[in-house]
Amino acid sequence: EGGGNMAASGAGAPEGWCGPERPGAGGLALLGLAPSAPSCPHGPALLFVKTSQGKEEGRRFYACSACRDRKDCNFFQWEDEKVSETRLAAREEYNRNHQPPFTHRQNVERYKNFVLLPLSKRRFCQECQQLLLPAEWEKHSDHQFLCDISSAQLKSPSQLLYPLENKKTNAQYLFADRSCQFLLDLIIGLGFRRVLSVGTPRLHEMIQSKASQEDFRVRSLLLDIDFRYSQFYTEDEFCHYNMFNHYFFGGEAARETCRKFLYQDSGERVIMVTDPPFGGLVEALASSFKKLMAMWKDTEKEGHNNQEMPVFWIFPYFFESRILEFFPSFSMMDYQVDYDNHALYKHGKTGRRQSPVRIFTNLTPSMIVLPVEEGYRFCTICQRYVSSGNQHCEICNSCTSKDGRRWKHCVLCKKCVKPSWFHCKNCNCCALQNHTCEKTDAVCFVCGKAGHKRSTCPSLSHT
């Protein structure tokens, strides 16, 4: 989770996305998926444009959708580059060699054989992150491995597998039990019976572990780029998927599995829960999520009318404006999502140490009941649950705090700001007291023009 997928991040992209002619200083804009895009081991590459300061339009290039560090995937190609037949053949060979050692179907067969073994013969190679059958022991003899793998461990693969925590490439932070249980209780309470778990392996795992209970009716399909999960789940429970380019590695068969899962048989309502890497490009994620929502809409044309597939997108609060740009129907809940293996994003801390991760949803906010015992209360004016420190501002007519602390209203900015901020006459806005005032003659990092910053650059918004 946070997310179970590799992070294609705009920040730091010039270092990561580089090729034969390393792009120099300037900005980056994502142009999206081109129909004839070349592929790397992570599926079709994304098209970007590199802009230099003062120039209108930069040179376009393709780069890996999933990795931003070239040590993890060094795919790079200028859009107008003529690629020789030899290089194309070498690329195809490289892509083939970088596929997992077993197919999903082979992994399912291996699992069936593995569970038939007595406990003393069940081994898991920690270096290869692979369940081992006795015939393979010798090949892994100099590796570290775990012995006596129990059925309980097999049902909790997220705890058996190493989380992929390299911040530049993978950001696999896993929900803490508290947040996972809260999400599942919320989903059940809202009447959903199917969960499309996009990059949320621990939620999927919790649902799967309860599936044998008689009164438990919820089902889950995990879409994740981490192929290690194919060792533990069948082709109806897991699809190898890249959420940055909406790519199903299993081809049409996997796409059909997803389509069938989204079909609301007997009125079983579906919700998508996604927890992408926080370094992920919001544009790329939004594009994929819209395609999954469209897939849901196409399953039953009459019933959906103008509805959207219900979604919980779990992401830091400071991306709120970017998410709302792509999904105006979404709103941000105050609930703080926390993670087991993240030093900062843990529950119970105060001030800036509180988790910045929130739930963005297109469901009516008043329906999302937050636990009172954890310090949430219902605001009758806003008609939603808010953090107890989030006081209603009569001027803004809203509970304005984003980070759990009580915010204060600035008359000059005409909005509420963080309690540690003060109005700066030079910048004509609120900022930290010891901030560096922005130069009035500063130019935009993307287009090189004055009068706006990179985040509000017009050349970004149209992409």
Side-chain angles (χ1 to χ4, degrees):
E1 275 125 34
N5 207 327
M6 297 183 186
S9 169
E15 294 85 46
W17 284 313
C18 49
E21 295 173 47
R22 184 174 166 136
L28 270 184
L30 171 67
L31 300 176
L33 265 175
S36 55
S39 288
C40 71
H42 306 99
L46 293 178
L47 184 62
F48 295 86
V49 64
K50 185 80 184 71
T51 55
S52 301
Q53 286 191 9
K55 291 187 181 174
E56 282 297 311
E57 174 76 5
R59 196 173 173 189
R60 297 171 175 221
F61 66 90
Y62 292 105
C64 175
S65 63
C67 305
R68 68 182 241 218
D69 193 322
R70 73 175 307 185
K71 288 197 292 289
D72 299 299
C73 183
N74 64 1
F75 183 85
F76 181 95
Q77 183 187 311
W78 293 112
E79 186 193 30
D80 54 8
E81 193 180 339
K82 291 277 182 281
V83 183
S84 69
E85 291 295 324
T86 313
R87 200 168 136 212
L88 280 174
R91 183 183 289 169
E92 280 177 32
E93 177 73 10
Y94 178 87
N95 289 353
R96 264 196 307 274
N97 292 338
H98 282 75
Q99 293 311 310
F102 298 105
T103 65
H104 193 165
R105 191 154 295 171
Q106 285 170 327
N107 272 339
V108 171
E109 286 305 312
R110 287 166 56 79
Y111 183 85
K112 285 178 188 170
N113 292 328
F114 189 87
V115 293
L116 294 173
L117 295 169
L119 206 59
S120 60
K121 293 200 170 180
R122 291 184 184 180
R123 292 186 182 180
F124 176 76
C125 179
Q126 288 183 291
E127 289 183 45
C128 302
Q129 293 284 284
Q130 191 180 307
L131 297 172
L132 297 180
L133 297 172
E136 299 159 347
W137 289 359
E138 201 180 327
K139 205 167 109 184
H140 298 258
S141 59
D142 55 343
H143 293 180
Q144 290 280 322
F145 49 79
L146 297 173
C147 300
D148 303 340
I149 303 297
S150 66
S151 298
Q153 284 175 293
L154 292 173
K155 285 181 179 171
S156 306
S158 72
Q159 293 175 23
L160 191 61
L161 301 167
Y162 284 135
L164 305 170
E165 291 181 14
N166 171 351
K167 286 183 182 65
K168 273 195 170 180
T169 311
N170 299 278
Q172 201 170 45
Y173 299 116
L174 302 163
F175 289 146
D177 281 345
R178 165 195 158 269
S179 288
C180 207
Q181 192 62 61
F182 165 75
L183 282 167
L184 184 53
D185 290 345
L186 183 60
I187 287 161
I188 294 168
L190 290 166
F192 293 104
R193 292 293 171 264
R194 299 198 195 182
V195 183
L196 186 66
S197 303
V198 184
T200 58
R202 192 155 277 181
L203 178 65
H204 174 74
E205 187 176 289
M206 188 176 271
I207 292 169
Q208 292 295 107
S209 69
K210 294 174 188 281
S212 57
Q213 296 174 11
E214 257 187 65
D215 57 342
F216 192 77
R217 299 270 182 271
V218 182
R219 289 197 292 140
S220 171
L221 172 66
L222 176 63
L223 305 188
D224 204 296
I225 202 167
D226 190 347
F227 191 67
R228 298 177 303 171
Y229 284 105
S230 68
Q231 298 177 86
F232 306 91
Y233 300 123
T234 66
E235 288 158 300
D236 286 334
E237 297 166 337
F238 168 77
C239 293
H240 191 201
Y241 175 77
N242 182 347
M243 67 170 89
F244 288 103
N245 58 4
H246 186 57
Y247 182 66
F248 287 88
F249 292 83
E252 195 47 48
R255 193 179 288 269
E256 188 54 34
T257 296
C258 184
R259 209 178 280 123
K260 271 164 67 180
F261 184 83
L262 292 175
Y263 183 78
Q264 294 186 0
D265 192 22
S266 325
E268 289 189 335
R269 295 174 65 217
V270 181
I271 185 168
M272 180 174 103
V273 183
T274 183
D275 186 28
F278 305 145
L281 277 171
V282 175
E283 296 99 311
L285 293 167
S287 171
S288 294
F289 299 160
K290 282 181 177 177
K291 285 170 185 167
L292 288 170
M293 291 162 89
M295 198 186 276
W296 171 83
K297 210 172 175 89
D298 289 345
T299 56
E300 194 185 342
K301 289 193 163 56
E302 293 166 30
H304 297 326
N305 300 326
N306 293 320
Q307 286 179 296
E308 282 182 336
M309 172 165 69
V311 176
F312 285 163
W313 178 346
I314 293 150
F315 224 48
Y317 70 79
F318 36 82
F319 284 102
E320 183 182 19
S321 61
R322 297 292 286 136
I323 290 175
L324 298 187
E325 193 182 314
F326 295 101
F327 295 104
S329 62
F330 280 34
S331 52
M332 186 178 83
M333 302 297 98
D334 269 22
Y335 183 80
Q336 294 183 15
V337 179
D338 58 312
Y339 297 82
D340 261 356
N341 56 329
H342 197 295
L344 297 180
Y345 300 171
K346 288 197 173 173
H347 181 60
K349 298 198 176 184
T350 55
R352 290 180 62 81
R353 285 296 191 190
Q354 292 182 83
S355 171
V357 187
R358 304 287 182 268
I359 299 168
F360 292 87
T361 184
N362 50 3
L363 296 174
T364 309
S366 60
M367 294 165 65
I368 314 297
V369 179
L370 303 186
V372 175
E373 64 276 11
E374 288 183 23
Y376 298 100
R377 61 177 182 83
F378 189 74
C379 175
T380 50
I381 308 167
C382 294
Q383 282 294 293
R384 70 182 181 99
Y385 278 82
V386 295
S387 173
S388 54
N390 190 357
Q391 296 300 307
H392 192 88
C393 173
E394 290 181 6
I395 306 166
C396 296
N397 194 25
S398 173
C399 290
T400 51
S401 169
K402 309 290 184 193
D403 63 7
R405 296 179 293 169
R406 185 172 184 168
W407 285 21
K408 60 184 183 184
H409 191 85
C410 174
V411 181
L412 296 169
C413 288
K414 296 180 181 171
K415 65 177 183 180
C416 285
V417 296
K418 292 180 180 180
S420 54
W421 287 16
F422 297 89
H423 196 84
C424 172
K425 288 176 184 173
N426 294 335
C427 300
N428 196 27
C429 68
C430 284
L432 283 167
Q433 206 156 18
N434 57 354
H435 74 287
T436 307
C437 290
E438 286 191 19
K439 293 175 187 168
T440 49
D441 59 344
V443 293
C444 170
F445 171 61
V446 175
C447 67
K449 293 176 183 172
H452 62 269
K453 292 188 285 186
R454 180 197 181 282
S455 57
T456 54
C457 180
S459 66
L460 274 182
S461 58
H462 77 264
T463 64

